Amino acid sequence: MLTVASVMSLMAFCWPLLWHPGATLSGDGRTPLVFALVLPVVIALVMTQLGNDDLDVKALALLGVLSAVGAAVRPLGAGTAGLEAIFFLIIIAGRVFGPGFGFVLGNTTLFCSALLTSGVGPWLPYQMLAAGFVGLGAGLLPRLRGRLEIALLAVYGVVMGFAYGWLMDLAFWPFTLGPSSQWSFLPGAPLGTNLHRFVLYNLATSMAWNGGRALSNAALVVLLGPAMLRILRRAARRADFA
């Protein structure tokens, strides 16, 4: 279920690069609408499946606590040069409790924070899934301990700081510029052409934000990661999580 949902979600983000003139959904604007409608369904199915199979009562309780903490932390940094503390918590929790927990935590944290900050809108399902990917990937990283683990998580935080921004930009890039800009999305153009335009658009509009997010992820992992890993692992042992 998680693999299928991940593939569908990536298609929802990357549809501008996959658009083909002969595709069934091309030419009438239905493609983004279809994916936008599919995303909430995908999120609901995945979270229901994981809740039934992989998360017991103790894990759900911890998920609620961490989601609330993340939602409370997000307003402290969001909006200031891309500095965001919310991804640090998702990365560390995904690392400790696994990819499924990390994916759900990314979704629930962004959902809760959107409710607190009045950030509910068409972008929310995309934000939830992109944050879910951050937690999922952290749970799939190789097993390391000590300084090597912190270094690995810091590098991962940098990569995901940019990846989150790329995904969000990609999903809404076709709607943010007019058709005449040199950075605009060209329906039906070759992949290389649209990819080149998107890279230029992203560098010009989002590099500073993505860089701030990447640096804040790495800094928080280095400064707070060791202590947070010990706390969550101790909680996992005492709660006897799988």
Side-chain angles (χ1 to χ4, degrees):
M1 173 61 74
L2 196 55
T3 301
V4 173
S6 298
V7 173
M8 293 180 64
S9 302
L10 283 176
M11 290 180 64
F13 282 107
C14 300
W15 70 265
L17 299 179
L18 304 176
W19 183 295
H20 188 275
T24 303
L25 295 177
S26 67
D28 57 4
R30 285 182 296 168
T31 300
L33 177 61
V34 169
F35 282 124
L37 293 176
V38 166
L39 284 181
V41 178
V42 171
I43 293 171
L45 288 175
V46 172
M47 296 185 71
T48 300
Q49 186 69 29
L50 291 173
N52 290 336
D53 296 343
D54 297 335
L55 301 178
D56 59 17
V57 174
K58 292 177 288 188
L60 287 174
L62 183 59
L63 179 66
V65 172
L66 293 177
S67 299
V69 172
V73 165
R74 190 182 187 194
L76 300 179
T80 307
L83 301 178
E84 296 187 73
I86 194 171
F87 296 102
F88 158 73
L89 185 62
I90 296 172
I91 290 172
I92 298 299
R95 174 66 175 177
V96 173
F97 298 111
F101 187 97
F103 182 83
V104 176
L105 179 64
N107 280 271
T108 55
T109 302
L110 267 291
F111 179 75
C112 293
S113 67
L115 295 180
L116 288 178
T117 60
S118 300
V120 178
W123 53 84
L124 180 57
Y126 292 94
Q127 289 179 329
M128 292 171 62
L129 283 171
F133 284 136
V134 174
L136 186 150
L140 296 175
L141 292 173
R143 292 188 176 185
L144 295 172
R145 285 292 186 270
R147 293 181 178 178
L148 287 179
E149 182 179 33
I150 296 301
L152 175 64
L153 292 175
V155 171
Y156 178 76
V158 171
V159 173
M160 295 312 295
F162 284 100
Y164 179 86
W166 293 334
L167 287 176
M168 292 303 302
D169 282 353
L170 193 53
F172 293 95
W173 164 50
F175 312 109
T176 55
L177 298 173
S180 58
S181 168
Q182 60 178 337
W183 304 334
S184 297
F185 168 64
L186 289 181
L191 170 63
T193 301
N194 271 326
L195 186 59
H196 176 69
R197 286 169 169 257
F198 172 72
V199 170
L200 294 178
Y201 165 77
N202 183 265
L203 289 174
T205 62
S206 306
M207 178 56 70
W209 288 87
N210 295 339
R213 186 183 304 109
L215 291 176
S216 60
N217 287 347
L220 288 172
V221 166
V222 171
L223 294 174
L224 304 177
M228 187 61 71
L229 284 170
R230 284 195 299 272
I231 291 171
L232 292 185
R233 282 176 173 148
R234 185 181 304 120
R237 286 194 299 271
R238 292 186 175 181
D240 194 24
F241 289 138

